[in-house]
Structure formats: structure tokens, C-alpha cells
Amino acid sequence: MLPSYDKELQSHGCKVTPQRSLILDILHESLAHTMTADEIVGLAREQQPNISAGTVYRNLNTLCELGLLKCLDSVGDGRHYELNTGHHHHLVCLGCRQRVAIDFCPMNSEVRDLAEKSGFAVEDHNFEIKGYCTKCRAGAKRSPDTNGGMI
Amino acid sequence: MLPSYDKELQSHGCKVTPQRSLILDILHESLAHTMTADEIVGLAREQQPNISAGTVYRNLNTLCELGLLKCLDSVGDGRHYELNTGHHHHLVCLGCRQRVAIDFCPMNSEVRDLAEKSGFAVEDHNFEIKGYCTKCRAGAKRSPDTNGGMI
DNA sequence: CTCTAAATAGTATTCGTTACTATTTAATAA
DNA sequence: TTATTAAATAGTAACGAATACTATTTAGAG
Ligand SMILES: [Mn+2]
Ligand SMILES: [Mn+2]
Ligand SMILES: [Zn+2]
Ligand SMILES: [Zn+2]
């Protein structure tokens, strides 16, 4: 069952448009993974063929600002988006570039203290494990030594 | 004292050019931090005013492939480069975007086992702590709520 | 010094993303 | 329901980081 984000949107003074709802639905369909803006445009056009790429980009930014989405980044594969389902990290496949949630967080008071010891005010953190998923282990599309040191 | 990378370059069949040496020198000057390609171009032109941006980009890629450099990435601030001085992670300032080395690595056999339990072949990992450095804590240039959910 | 493959400078091109603008539409109130 | 209006959209233009291309230069070998 798709949860409705209507009230969440309206509470922020946002209008509920078909484009906005579709983007949220698409991201809800793949809760365990993440998607690029381009992938979202492609899937969105299956249901709204005339949706503008600009609309998708604009809404992804808006929904990130509202805290409904999270934006991730990695060397060599641009931005990825996902529903903000709470703090977690990912396994990143260097073959198919899919990101899968992992249930481990390295941040604890010990690490935080280490960072703050140098006068740093900690706000957030990022952790990702890179490698090859089960599918890509067989016929690895990008071997570790052919991706330009951009693992 | 600047170490010479001449032999390292030549052992890979690379020519030692002034441009290449300059890029390595510049990155050696700021061992604790990282730099964007654009910043490197700017500093390089102080010594070689006619150096082409394309040359810098091309060499950064080449030197990454050779393993002399590492390329990092984060949401909202493009690629950063540093000398490959061995495995380490960074504090990332959300104000000035500077990256400072941190002496902590979350990867251990326990975490590795967790990732491999799902059929994932671990190759690498990334960890970064985001916040505000001492300088930026005072007059924070970007507050956490104005950077579009792109912490 | 000569030769040649590699590298460079300068320019054009690509591609993801953002900006702009006329038109449409969601939400509110009459 | 209709009228009103600010927000959102589609379509297009513009942007900027990165790459591709090409004529020229150069590092390194003989
Ligand atoms: Mn996730
Ligand atoms: Mn470093
Ligand atoms: Zn965490
Ligand atoms: Zn590590």
C-alpha cells in the first residue's frame, strides 16, 4: 500500500501535483535501492509521458529540502535519490551501480569525540561499502583496475 | 622536500612533463587537505600561466589510474583529489568544503562479514564525517537547513 | 641531433543540472 | 460552482564540469 504524502506536502505549503506524487510513488516502489534522476524520469514517463525532466529535477530538490528524500553521491555515478526512511548506509555495486541498504552505522560517541577533538562540529556522516553484487560477481562489467582509480 | 615521482611515472611508461610534475607538487603542498580540479588549475597557473585546464583534468585521471592520486566525491561539491598516501578518511566541512584527514577507519572483519553475508564482494569503502570546521563554526556560510538536504 | 610516440594548448562538444517563461493547475474563498 | 491567485508545469535555453578532438610541441630513446 502506497502511503500518501499529501498531508506532509501540504503541511509545508506545497501543492499536491500528479508529478510530485508519481515521483514519490516511484521511489516507494524500490525502497531497498536508490535511483538517479534520469532513471526516475524514465520510469515517470511510463505513466506520464509528457512529464518534463526539469520538473523531476526541481521536485527532487524540493523533496530533499522538505526532508522527504535523501540525496546520495559517489565518484563516477552522479547523484542517487531515495525515500528518507531514516538513517542508514549502503552497499554500492561497482558493476551495476545499484545501492542496497546495509544495517550498520560506524558513528558512535567514540568516533564523534575523535572528530570533535579537532574543533569540528559534527552534523552528519556517510559510509558506503563498495564492491560487486551477486549478479555482477559473475560477469563483472567494470573490473577494479579499469575504472580510473575511481572506486 | 618534494619527493620526485619521476621514476614512478617512467616505470609506468609515462613521460615526465613539467605539467605533470607541477600537479604532483601542488598536491604535495597540501597533504592534509584535498583539492578540486579547478583549484588545482588555479594554483598551477600561478607557475605555468598557459597550462590548459584539459591538461590538468587529463593528468588527474592518468595519475589516479596509476595509483598516485585518489579521487573523492561528495554531494554538492564535485570531485576532490589528493596524493594517495595510503588508506584514510576525512572530515568534510560543510562551510568551506575543506577536507581534513581523520585517523579512524570503520572497516573491520565484522563489518566485512556483514556485507559479504549478502553475497557482496567487498572491494573498498568510504567514510566521511560532515560538519563545520573551527573557522566556519563562527560565521557558518551554509547553515544545515539551507543546503537542500544535501548534507 | 634525429625521430617518434606521447603530451600539450586551445577549442569544440557532451551531459547532468539549473534557469527562464508562457501556460496550466491546485487550493482557497466567494 | 465559479473566480482568483500563487505555485507548478512543459518546453526551451543556458550553465559548468568534464571530456573529445586536433594541430603543434616535446620528452625520451637511439
Ligand atoms: Mn537506502
Ligand atoms: Mn586525505
Ligand atoms: Zn551512520
Ligand atoms: Zn577505511
Side-chain angles (χ1 to χ4, degrees):
Chain A
M1 62 325 190
L2 298 181
S4 170
Y5 293 94
D6 295 8
K7 286 172 185 167
E8 179 91 29
L9 289 173
Q10 286 172 330
S11 75
H12 286 92
C14 276
K15 291 183 178 177
V16 178
T17 67
Q19 292 86 347
R20 222 160 247 170
S21 300
L22 176 56
I23 290 168
L24 288 165
D25 288 350
I26 287 170
L27 287 169
H28 188 83
E29 289 292 309
S30 58
L31 266 182
H33 304 305
T34 65
M35 308 181 71
T36 64
D38 204 54
E39 288 169 339
I40 295 167
V41 170
L43 289 174
R45 287 193 169 146
E46 291 180 5
Q47 298 189 242
Q48 296 185 21
N50 288 326
I51 193 171
S52 170
T55 296
V56 173
Y57 278 101
R58 182 167 20 78
N59 275 305
L60 289 174
N61 285 340
T62 301
L63 295 170
C64 281
E65 284 167 24
L66 298 190
L68 285 170
L69 302 186
K70 285 200 86 177
C71 178
L72 317 163
D73 205 4
S74 265
V75 171
D77 200 36
R79 296 177 186 170
H80 279 240
Y81 295 89
E82 66 177 354
L83 281 184
N84 185 353
T85 57
H87 183 72
H88 65 276
H89 303 286
H90 296 93
L91 304 174
V92 181
C93 179
L94 298 169
C96 62
R97 292 294 176 180
Q98 257 198 117
R99 281 143 173 81
V100 187
I102 186 176
D103 182 27
F104 168 80
C105 176
M107 184 54 69
N108 54 41
S109 57
E110 185 188 359
V111 179
R112 184 179 297 267
D113 288 349
L114 179 63
E116 289 174 347
K117 204 175 58 182
S118 59
F120 197 82
V122 174
E123 293 274 348
D124 197 8
H125 64 276
N126 181 40
F127 177 57
E128 56 190 7
I129 298 177
K130 310 188 183 192
Y132 292 93
C133 71
T134 316
K135 287 178 188 167
C136 292
R137 288 178 83 158
K141 290 158 194 167
R142 311 186 196 188
S143 78
D145 40 336
T146 60
N147 64 358
M150 292 200 177
I151 273 182
Chain B
M1 63 321 190
L2 299 180
S4 170
Y5 292 94
D6 296 6
K7 287 173 186 167
E8 179 91 29
L9 290 172
Q10 287 173 328
S11 75
H12 286 92
C14 276
K15 291 182 177 177
V16 178
T17 67
Q19 293 85 348
R20 221 161 248 169
S21 299
L22 177 56
I23 290 168
L24 288 165
D25 288 350
I26 286 171
L27 287 169
H28 188 84
E29 289 292 308
S30 59
L31 265 182
H33 303 304
T34 65
M35 309 181 71
T36 63
D38 205 53
E39 288 169 340
I40 294 166
V41 170
L43 289 175
R45 287 192 170 147
E46 291 180 5
Q47 297 191 243
Q48 296 184 22
N50 289 326
I51 193 172
S52 170
T55 296
V56 173
Y57 278 102
R58 182 167 19 79
N59 275 305
L60 289 173
N61 285 340
T62 302
L63 296 170
C64 282
E65 284 168 26
L66 298 190
L68 285 169
L69 301 185
K70 285 199 86 176
C71 178
L72 316 162
D73 204 5
S74 266
V75 171
D77 201 36
R79 297 178 187 172
H80 279 242
Y81 295 88
E82 66 177 353
L83 280 184
N84 185 353
T85 57
H87 183 72
H88 65 276
H89 303 286
H90 297 92
L91 304 174
V92 182
C93 179
L94 299 168
C96 60
R97 292 294 176 182
Q98 256 197 117
R99 281 143 174 82
V100 187
I102 185 177
D103 182 26
F104 168 79
C105 176
M107 182 55 68
N108 55 39
S109 57
E110 185 187 358
V111 179
R112 185 177 296 268
D113 288 350
L114 180 63
E116 289 175 348
K117 205 174 59 181
S118 59
F120 197 81
V122 175
E123 293 273 349
D124 197 8
H125 64 276
N126 181 39
F127 178 57
E128 56 189 7
I129 297 177
K130 311 189 183 193
Y132 292 92
C133 72
T134 316
K135 287 178 188 166
C136 291
R137 289 178 82 158
K141 290 157 195 169
R142 313 186 196 188
S143 79
D145 39 335
T146 60
N147 63 359
M150 291 199 179
I151 272 181

